[in-house]
Amino acid sequence: ADGGVEGPVDLTPDAQTALTEATFDITPDGRTVVTEWLSAKDLPRLAVDVVAIDRASGEHRTLTPGDAWYADVAISPDGRHVVCVRADPGSPDRAASATLWLLELEDGACRELTPGLESWPHAPRWAPDGSGVFFSAPREGNDAVFRVDVESGSLTVLAADGCYSDLQPTPDGKRLFALRSAIDDPPRPVVLDAAAADQQPRFLRSPVPDRDELDLPSV
């Protein structure tokens, strides 16, 4: 009441195992929760769908057709779109594959966002203005940072000199924070330009010693 926080509401009373290790996100207006939903009704075939849950009514809307594993859901800053990873487990006649998938939250209309990517993307993060999506994907033994333009689909490799995780753009969208690690370097916070290709990261101060201070064996 009066804009205060109400008590908790169980939006998934019949979930059972459907939310096992699921990710979720909430629209900016707080009215909708989007989550992964594991379905085991067609055993031994499993599928993970994207489900939108209305906060007020508890109504569930399935946005995907049960044809793959959808994961790592993230809602756009304007609350209109959902980006996620779509993983096709493959078959004896078809190799497994993964791509980024873009969904319209209102009606479930969808399209592939990274059709030219020859890798397995994960952990997508929206640019603050909704024009692009940052994500990590394996590349030549590393876990590189990419940016894909939502309108054109153009891909930019921001950095590929190590393994990057925990991507977080700044509010103005000009920089991207991340953790970077390598086979000879523990995870350390870095900052990248959010648009420049093939760059070297700027390391930030942290409790982790510089590489020169670590007693590491040569590789």
Side-chain angles (χ1 to χ4, degrees), residues 49-122:
D49 279 306
V50 177
V51 172
I53 306 173
D54 184 80
R55 170 63 178 81
S57 67
E59 176 191 4
H60 289 204
R61 291 188 298 116
T62 302
L63 303 179
T64 49
D67 61 337
W69 289 69
Y70 296 86
D72 291 351
V73 296
I75 298 173
S76 62
D78 62 6
R80 295 175 52 200
H81 301 90
V82 179
V83 68
C84 61
V85 176
R86 181 188 185 276
D88 181 346
S91 69
D93 302 318
R94 186 181 70 255
S97 62
T99 188
L100 287 189
W101 209 246
L102 189 68
L103 297 162
E104 294 276 354
L105 186 54
E106 183 176 350
D107 59 9
C110 61
R111 65 180 172 92
E112 187 176 2
L113 192 56
T114 54
L117 182 68
E118 298 180 354
S119 189
W120 287 61
H122 56 91

Side-chain angles (χ1 to χ4, degrees), residues 139 145-147 155-160 192-200:
R139 185 174 187 267
V145 183
F146 292 77
R147 183 189 186 278
L155 282 169
T156 302
V157 181
L158 300 182
L192 299 165
D193 184 296
D198 300 320
Q199 59 189 286
Q200 292 295 315

Side-chain angles (χ1 to χ4, degrees), residues 13-216:
D14 302 319
Q16 299 182 13
T17 60
L19 297 176
T20 302
E21 298 184 354
T23 61
F24 70 93
D25 201 0
I26 303 172
T27 54
D29 61 11
R31 295 180 179 179
T32 306
V33 178
V34 175
T35 183
E36 301 163 22
W37 193 271
L38 172 65
S39 173
K41 62 182 179 181
D42 295 326
L43 289 175
R45 181 180 179 275
L46 296 176
V48 179
D49 279 306
V50 177
V51 172
I53 306 173
D54 184 80
R55 170 63 178 81
S57 67
E59 176 191 4
H60 289 204
R61 291 188 298 116
T62 302
L63 303 179
T64 49
D67 61 337
W69 289 69
Y70 296 86
D72 291 351
V73 296
I75 298 173
S76 62
D78 62 6
R80 295 175 52 200
H81 301 90
V82 179
V83 68
C84 61
V85 176
R86 181 188 185 276
D88 181 346
S91 69
D93 302 318
R94 186 181 70 255
S97 62
T99 188
L100 287 189
W101 209 246
L102 189 68
L103 297 162
E104 294 276 354
L105 186 54
E106 183 176 350
D107 59 9
C110 61
R111 65 180 172 92
E112 187 176 2
L113 192 56
T114 54
L117 182 68
E118 298 180 354
S119 189
W120 287 61
H122 56 91
R125 295 290 182 270
W126 284 92
D129 63 0
S131 65
V133 173
F134 304 101
F135 63 94
S136 300
R139 185 174 187 267
E140 298 178 356
N142 292 308
D143 216 14
V145 183
F146 292 77
R147 183 189 186 278
V148 58
D149 185 87
V150 171
E151 288 297 324
S152 68
S154 63
L155 282 169
T156 302
V157 181
L158 300 182
D161 66 325
C163 292
Y164 291 84
S165 65
D166 300 273
L167 309 181
Q168 183 60 55
T170 55
D172 61 9
K174 295 181 179 180
R175 295 179 295 168
L176 182 69
F177 293 106
L179 289 180
R180 179 201 176 275
S181 63
I183 191 171
D184 58 349
D185 200 11
R188 289 195 283 162
V190 298
V191 63
L192 299 165
D193 184 296
D198 300 320
Q199 59 189 286
Q200 292 295 315
R202 178 166 63 87
F203 287 88
L204 303 175
R205 294 183 61 185
S206 77
V208 180
D210 289 339
R211 178 179 172 182
D212 294 341
E213 301 174 11
L214 296 172
D215 185 16
L216 295 174

